Each structure stands twice: as structure tokens, then as C-alpha cells.
Amino acid sequence: MAKKKIGLIGAGNIGGELANLALTKQLGDVVLFDIPAKEKFAKGKALDLEQATALSGSDGKATGTSNWADVAGADVLIVTAGIPRKPGQSRDDLVATNLPIIRDVADNMKKHCPDAFVIVISNPLDAMVYELKRRTGAKREKVVGMAGVLDSARFALFLARALDASIKDVRAMVLGGHGDDMVPVLSACTINGVPVRELLAKDKLDAIIARTRKGGGEIVELMGTSAYYAPASSAIAMAEAYLLDQKRLLPGAAYLDGEYGYKDLYMGVPIVIGAGGVEKILEVKLSDEEKEMLKKSADSVQKVVDVVKKST
Ligand code: APR
């Protein structure tokens, strides 16, 4: 079987770590794409990463380019094109800058890799993935947004630390938009089946939820730019599920067509990722409180999507 081709659109901080993980995990050959002004940078990064394979023993090749023709035929595209947050900015503040970038990516993607499974990371996530799907006309199975895996990972880590538990045993699920209104589904959060609500007092749990909601912002304040290791790991888990037909149940931003009562909107819900892309959207039972939180989150996403729709 021929090696798979993974196109990374944006060769910045997340792009570099995506490439590193894809090569180390031997998922395929990697193409790091960036704008012409960053082509030499992308080529240099690719060369550095490829030299590292001499030590990891991975057979994957890495190339850097600013020519979309080099990305043609990619099996998976992971999109990080755009600018990241600076301290004091919300994800929604990025819409004016990142919208034209996503449109440029969508037009090229449609032309050069119409069959790719696409994972969008660029922020504001739910609106950017919506626009990419709208503009390309791709099927909803083929276009997904990465946020829920990351938000759930952050929640899981904070739970593990508070409980002095192994991270291996924590199951956490965060749904909704990738913003401050994200929805932690406590009924689905357990330490290997034991509900966290039985293990942690409400005030402690509330503090962890608040920290999770601001999890990205905490890192932006510390580093002056947004996170990249955990976002890259999260997207690679989704890419791997597709490439290896793992049928993983992961939270991800999927196009809703009536599920959970929402239509024509991308938002974080539990999905199954396998060789068919987003093979299923699971409608899990939510409590009234969780439904209300999801509504608030959907309203926030809708506001940004409306801004995007108006500027077409
Ligand atoms: N096509 C391809 N790449 C582009 C384009 C474009 N039209 N426009 C910008 N880029 C590139 C930039 O040149 C830069 O190298 O996208 C890259 C983004 O890299 P970083 O600035 O290092 O940002 P990163 O931390 O990787 O985050 C990227 O993901 O999590 C989100 O909020 C974050 O929207 C941001 C994105």
C-alpha cells in the first residue's frame, strides 16, 4: 500500500509539531505548506524534521512548499493557517484576519485536494470550519474541527492532578463551541467508570471547569502566543483515527443538520471517526442544565458565523 500523504496548511508552531508527530507515528509523508514569504522557513523546518527521522527511524518524508500543486492528492489536510491569539485577545477577535486566509485555503483545497479528510484548527474554530465547508461544498463527513479533543484533554489533566489519579484512567468529555461557553458533560467524566462527581466536591469541580474554559487563554497569557503541543496531539489523534479506520469516539466540531436541535452550524459533539471520516454523530443524553449550556454555547458560535455569512 502506498504511503499516505498528509498536507499541513500552515508551517508555524502547530504545523511543526503536527509534522513531528505524524512522522514519529509513521502516519505517512508530510508536506508543510505556507505562504510564499514563508516558503524558505517551511523548507528549512521540513529538512530539520526529516533529519530527525534519521534518529527515530521513521520512513516518512517531509517537504516544505508554498506551491499548492505539491499538496495535491493529500489524504489528510490539517489547517492551521492564520494568526494565533495574543494576550488579551479572544478567539473571536481573530475572525477578520483569519477569514480571508481560510477562504484562500478553501479555494485551493477544492482545486487540489477535493477528496482529503480535512481537520481545521484555525480560530475562531467553529466559524472557520463552517466557512471552509461552505466554501468548498465538501461533504460534512470530510470536514471536521479540532477543539473538543483538546478541551477534553485539558479537563482530563486538571481532573487527574486534583484527584492525584493517573491520566490514563481519566475519561472526560467537553462539548459545544471552542470558547468560554464550552460544555463539560459531567455524566461522561469518570475515573475509569467512577463518576468524578462522586470523587470531587462541587466547588473544586466548578474551579476545574472554569480553568478548562480559559485553558487556552491561560497559555496565551504565559507564552504570548497560543498553545501548540496539545493542539497538535489532539489533531493527530483525529487524523490517526481516520487513516487507521479506528472508529474512535471523540468530541469534535461537526456540521449539525438537526442533531441536538441545531441546523447549519458547526459545534463540538461526540463523533465517530473512521475511514469514512465523520462516520456518526452521537446524540448523547444531556441534563437540562447541560442542554441550557449547549444553547448558550451555540448562540455564541452562531454570532460569529453570522459575521462570517455577512461578509460573503
Ligand atoms: N496559507 C497557508 N498558510 C498561511 C496562510 C495561508 N493563506 N496565511 C498564513 N499562513 C501561515 C502563517 O504564515 C504561519 O506560518 O499560518 C502559520 C500559522 O502559524 P503560527 O503563527 O505559528 O500559529 P499557530 O500557533 O500554529 O496557530 C495557528 O491555530 O490554534 C489556532 O489560534 C490559532 O488560528 C491560529 C492557528
Coordinates of all heavy atoms in Angstrom, one line a residue, residues 9-10 12-14 33-35 38 80-84 94 98 101 104 121-123 226, ligand 1:
I9 N -1.4 22.7 6.3 CA -1.5 24.0 5.8 C -1.3 25.0 6.9 O -2.1 25.3 7.7 CB -2.9 24.2 5.1 CG1 -3.3 23.0 4.2 CG2 -3.0 25.5 4.4 CD1 -2.2 22.7 3.1
G10 N -0.1 25.6 6.8 CA 0.4 26.5 7.9 C 1.6 25.7 8.5 O 1.5 24.6 9.0
G12 N 3.7 26.9 10.9 CA 4.1 27.6 12.1 C 4.3 26.7 13.3 O 4.7 25.5 13.1
N13 N 3.9 27.2 14.4 CA 4.1 26.4 15.7 C 3.3 25.1 15.7 O 3.9 24.0 16.0 CB 3.7 27.2 16.9 CG 4.8 28.3 17.2 OD1 5.9 28.2 16.8 ND2 4.3 29.3 17.9
I14 N 2.0 25.1 15.4 CA 1.3 23.9 15.4 C 1.7 23.0 14.3 O 1.8 21.8 14.4 CB -0.3 24.1 15.4 CG1 -0.7 25.1 16.6 CG2 -1.0 22.8 15.5 CD1 -2.2 25.4 16.7
F33 N 3.0 23.2 4.2 CA 2.7 24.3 3.2 C 2.6 25.6 4.0 O 2.0 25.7 5.0 CB 1.4 24.0 2.5 CG 0.9 25.1 1.6 CD1 1.3 25.1 0.3 CD2 0.2 26.2 2.1 CE1 0.9 26.2 -0.6 CE2 -0.2 27.2 1.3 CZ 0.1 27.2 0.0
D34 N 3.2 26.7 3.4 CA 3.0 28.0 3.9 C 2.9 29.1 2.8 O 3.1 28.7 1.6 CB 4.0 28.4 5.0 CG 3.5 29.2 6.1 OD1 3.0 30.4 5.8 OD2 3.5 28.8 7.3
I35 N 2.7 30.3 3.1 CA 2.7 31.4 2.1 C 4.1 31.6 1.5 O 5.1 31.2 2.1 CB 2.1 32.7 2.7 CG1 2.9 33.1 4.0 CG2 0.7 32.6 3.1 CD1 2.6 34.4 4.6
K38 N 7.0 32.7 3.5 CA 7.5 31.7 4.5 C 7.9 30.4 3.9 O 8.1 29.4 4.6 CB 6.4 31.4 5.5 CG 5.9 32.6 6.4 CD 6.8 32.9 7.6 CE 6.7 31.9 8.7 NZ 5.6 32.1 9.6
T80 N -3.9 25.0 9.9 CA -3.6 25.9 11.0 C -3.3 27.3 10.4 O -2.8 28.1 11.2 CB -2.4 25.4 11.8 OG1 -1.2 25.4 10.9 CG2 -2.6 24.0 12.4
A81 N -3.5 27.5 9.1 CA -3.2 28.8 8.5 C -4.0 29.9 9.3 O -5.1 29.7 9.6 CB -3.7 28.7 7.0
G82 N -3.3 31.0 9.5 CA -3.9 32.1 10.2 C -3.0 32.6 11.3 O -1.8 32.2 11.4
I83 N -3.5 33.6 12.0 CA -2.7 34.1 13.1 C -3.2 33.6 14.4 O -4.4 33.4 14.6 CB -2.6 35.6 13.1 CG1 -4.0 36.2 13.2 CG2 -1.8 36.2 12.0 CD1 -4.1 37.6 13.8
P84 N -2.3 33.3 15.4 CA -2.8 32.9 16.7 C -3.1 34.1 17.6 O -2.9 35.2 17.2 CB -1.5 32.1 17.2 CG -0.4 32.7 16.5 CD -0.9 33.4 15.3
L94 N -10.0 37.1 16.2 CA -9.2 36.7 15.0 C -10.0 36.6 13.7 O -9.4 36.4 12.6 CB -8.5 35.3 15.3 CG -7.7 35.2 16.5 CD1 -7.2 33.7 16.6 CD2 -6.5 36.1 16.5
N98 N -8.4 36.0 10.0 CA -8.3 34.6 9.6 C -9.4 34.2 8.5 O -9.2 33.2 7.8 CB -8.4 33.6 10.8 CG -7.1 33.6 11.6 OD1 -6.1 34.3 11.1 ND2 -7.0 33.0 12.7
I101 N -8.0 34.2 5.0 CA -7.0 33.1 4.9 C -7.7 31.8 4.7 O -7.3 31.0 3.8 CB -6.1 33.1 6.2 CG1 -5.2 34.4 6.2 CG2 -5.2 31.9 6.2 CD1 -4.4 34.6 7.5
D104 N -9.0 31.5 1.2 CA -7.9 31.2 0.3 C -7.6 29.7 0.4 O -7.4 29.0 -0.7 CB -6.7 32.0 0.7 CG -5.4 31.6 0.0 OD1 -5.4 31.5 -1.3 OD2 -4.4 31.3 0.7
I121 N -8.0 23.7 12.5 CA -7.6 24.1 13.8 C -7.7 25.6 13.9 O -7.8 26.2 15.0 CB -6.1 23.6 14.1 CG1 -6.0 22.1 14.0 CG2 -5.7 24.1 15.5 CD1 -4.7 21.5 14.4
S122 N -7.6 26.3 12.8 CA -7.5 27.8 12.9 C -8.7 28.4 13.6 O -9.9 27.9 13.5 CB -7.5 28.4 11.4 OG -6.5 27.8 10.7
N123 N -8.5 29.4 14.4 CA -9.5 30.1 15.2 C -10.1 31.3 14.5 O -9.4 32.0 13.7 CB -9.0 30.4 16.5 CG -9.0 29.3 17.5 OD1 -10.1 28.6 17.6 ND2 -7.9 28.9 18.1
S226 N -0.4 31.3 21.2 CA -1.3 30.2 21.6 C -0.6 28.9 21.7 O 0.5 28.7 21.1 CB -2.6 30.2 20.8 OG -2.3 30.1 19.5
Ligands
APR1 N1 -2.0 29.7 3.6 C1 -1.1 28.9 4.3 N2 -0.6 29.3 5.5 C2 -0.8 30.5 5.9 C3 -1.7 31.4 5.2 C4 -2.3 30.9 4.0 N3 -3.1 31.7 3.3 N4 -1.8 32.6 5.9 C5 -1.0 32.4 7.0 N5 -0.4 31.2 7.0 C6 0.6 30.7 7.9 C7 1.5 31.7 8.6 O1 2.4 32.2 7.7 C8 2.1 30.9 9.7 O2 3.3 30.3 9.4 O3 0.0 30.0 9.0 C9 1.0 29.9 10.0 C10 0.4 29.9 11.4 O4 1.5 29.6 12.3 P1 1.7 30.4 13.7 O5 1.6 31.8 13.5 O6 2.9 29.8 14.4 O7 0.3 30.0 14.5 P2 0.0 28.6 15.3 O8 0.3 28.7 16.7 O9 0.5 27.4 14.5 O10 -1.6 28.7 15.3 C11 -2.3 28.7 14.0 O11 -4.3 27.7 15.1 O12 -4.9 27.3 17.3 C12 -5.1 28.1 16.1 O13 -5.5 30.3 17.1 C13 -4.6 29.5 16.4 O14 -5.5 30.4 14.4 C14 -4.3 30.0 15.0 C15 -3.8 28.7 14.3

